[in-house]
Amino acid sequence: METAFQEVVDCLYALRELADEVVVIKVGGNVLPHHEAFCEDIESLVYASVLPVIVHGGGKAVTEWEKTLGREASFVQGLRVTDADALELVQMVLAGKVNSDLVAMLNARTIKAIGLTGADGELLLAKPRKKPAGLGFVGEVEKVNISTFVTLGEGGFVPVIAPLGVTETGQLLNINADTVAGDIARALSARHFLLLTDVPGVQDKEGMVLPELTAAQARQLIRNGTISGGMIPKVTACLDALEGVPTAHIVDGREPHAILRQLLTLEPVGTQFFARGR
């Protein structure tokens, strides 16, 4: 009984230490089997005066719609080749259905969620991505409009952001959601950056999850091929975020209450990254 009570006390202290801090959470469209638990975690953060910022993906949904329309999705180094027609589809699926579904789900919990893209208030100024070649309307973030986030935070709103940026001339660009989330976390000097995915975390060559990694260790694992494939952009987003964020996390979003479990270090459900050894 004393152990359980102490755990509750530790959790309360951990939450209190996060008061008025920004926590950026990237969530993929295919890692939310526990929708209620996800909403409860966000609700708990809001009640504790934490400022959550949510960035969502939805590439799987876009691919399914492409198949429905008789199109074949094409990728280069994990990035979706986005011609003019594909860009319209990305806008409709991500800024339309995926974003509004997530906002409605959160608002049903009395959370003041508001759906946005990078075009709203010039939230994410972007430029076309040149490498690798042939990506079409794919971009990278040039500037995060911090003042927009400040205004939303002062109003008690939880931003829910679709990964679309806008150029200075008003052209929308499709941007990798992991990258967008990391860029936002760095720009806002967030206390934590959580990347929810559908894997248990970064694994070593024997398949064991590595609960903690420094930036140097993670880069070495990329170089020697231990971290490969689709995990590389996720780890890279975490490492980029560490330029302005103390800790970044790749979290198994399939686990219930993954966000609070990771933030409060009760039962970590992923890999935590640090700029350097502790």
Side-chain angles (χ1 to χ4, degrees), residues 31 33-34 37 41 196-197 251-259 261 269:
V31 298
H34 305 285
D41 283 2
L196 271 62
T197 186
V251 180
D252 190 346
R254 301 168 300 179
E255 295 290 334
H257 297 293
I259 296 170
R261 288 169 65 181
V269 286

Side-chain angles (χ1 to χ4, degrees), residues 131-160:
K131 294 183 180 180
L135 290 173
F137 294 97
V138 174
E140 56 187 356
V141 175
E142 277 195 301
K143 180 183 178 182
V144 175
N145 191 338
I146 296 174
S147 63
T148 301
F149 285 102
V150 172
T151 300
L152 292 171
E154 290 174 346
F157 291 100
V158 174
V160 180

Side-chain angles (χ1 to χ4, degrees), residues 83-97:
D83 61 15
D85 290 337
L87 181 62
E88 286 193 8
L89 185 60
V90 166
Q91 288 178 245
M92 288 187 287
V93 176
L94 295 189
K97 179 172 175 52

Side-chain angles (χ1 to χ4, degrees), residues 1-277:
M1 180 67 71
E2 289 183 3
T3 300
F5 176 76
Q6 188 59 49
E7 288 180 351
V8 172
V9 172
D10 290 343
C11 289
L12 291 174
Y13 274 113
L15 272 176
R16 190 172 73 171
E17 289 179 357
L18 288 174
D20 300 323
E21 297 280 5
V22 175
V23 174
V24 176
I25 302 163
K26 186 270 175 175
V27 57
N30 59 338
V31 298
L32 278 179
H34 305 285
H35 291 93
E36 287 298 314
F38 172 80
C39 292
E40 288 168 0
D41 283 2
I42 300 300
E43 193 172 32
S44 296
L45 294 178
V46 171
Y47 284 161
S49 297
V50 183
L51 307 174
V53 174
I54 300 169
V55 178
H56 67 79
K60 183 178 179 181
V62 174
T63 298
E64 289 174 350
W65 272 101
E66 284 193 294
K67 289 180 181 179
T68 300
L69 296 174
R71 292 174 54 91
E72 185 174 348
S74 178
F75 297 87
V76 177
Q77 295 182 17
L79 299 173
R80 182 183 301 274
V81 176
T82 309
D83 61 15
D85 290 337
L87 181 62
E88 286 193 8
L89 185 60
V90 166
Q91 288 178 245
M92 288 187 287
V93 176
L94 295 189
K97 179 172 175 52
V98 176
N99 190 273
S100 60
D101 283 352
L102 185 52
V103 168
M105 184 174 70
L106 290 166
N107 282 337
R109 304 286 308 197
T110 69
I111 299 166
K112 292 171 61 177
I114 183 168
L116 301 163
T117 73
D120 295 299
E122 293 189 327
L123 194 69
L124 301 171
L125 283 174
K127 64 180 180 180
R129 183 164 181 155
K130 296 181 179 180
K131 294 183 180 180
L135 290 173
F137 294 97
V138 174
E140 56 187 356
V141 175
E142 277 195 301
K143 180 183 178 182
V144 175
N145 191 338
I146 296 174
S147 63
T148 301
F149 285 102
V150 172
T151 300
L152 292 171
E154 290 174 346
F157 291 100
V158 174
V160 180
I161 302 164
L164 291 162
V166 64
T167 68
E168 291 183 346
T169 60
Q171 173 64 57
L172 282 172
L173 296 172
N174 180 24
I175 310 179
N176 177 273
D178 297 334
T179 303
V180 166
D183 288 339
I184 290 173
R186 183 174 64 250
L188 297 180
S189 298
R191 180 64 183 85
H192 291 280
F193 169 47
L194 279 72
L195 197 160
L196 271 62
T197 186
D198 57 356
V199 297
V202 178
Q203 302 174 31
D204 62 19
K205 291 185 177 180
E206 285 69 46
M208 299 296 292
V209 174
L210 300 168
E212 294 185 356
L213 287 172
T214 65
Q217 290 170 335
R219 292 190 180 96
Q220 177 59 29
L221 292 176
I222 292 174
R223 286 193 293 268
N224 67 27
T226 302
I227 296 174
S228 60
M231 184 58 73
I232 292 178
K234 297 183 185 303
V235 172
T236 300
C238 288
L239 299 184
D240 289 344
L242 287 177
E243 295 176 13
V245 180
T247 54
H249 317 250
I250 290 179
V251 180
D252 190 346
R254 301 168 300 179
E255 295 290 334
H257 297 293
I259 296 170
L260 289 184
R261 288 169 65 181
Q262 190 73 17
L263 288 178
L264 305 182
T265 63
L266 295 176
E267 298 175 25
V269 286
T271 301
Q272 189 167 354
F273 298 84
F274 302 90
R276 53 185 64 84

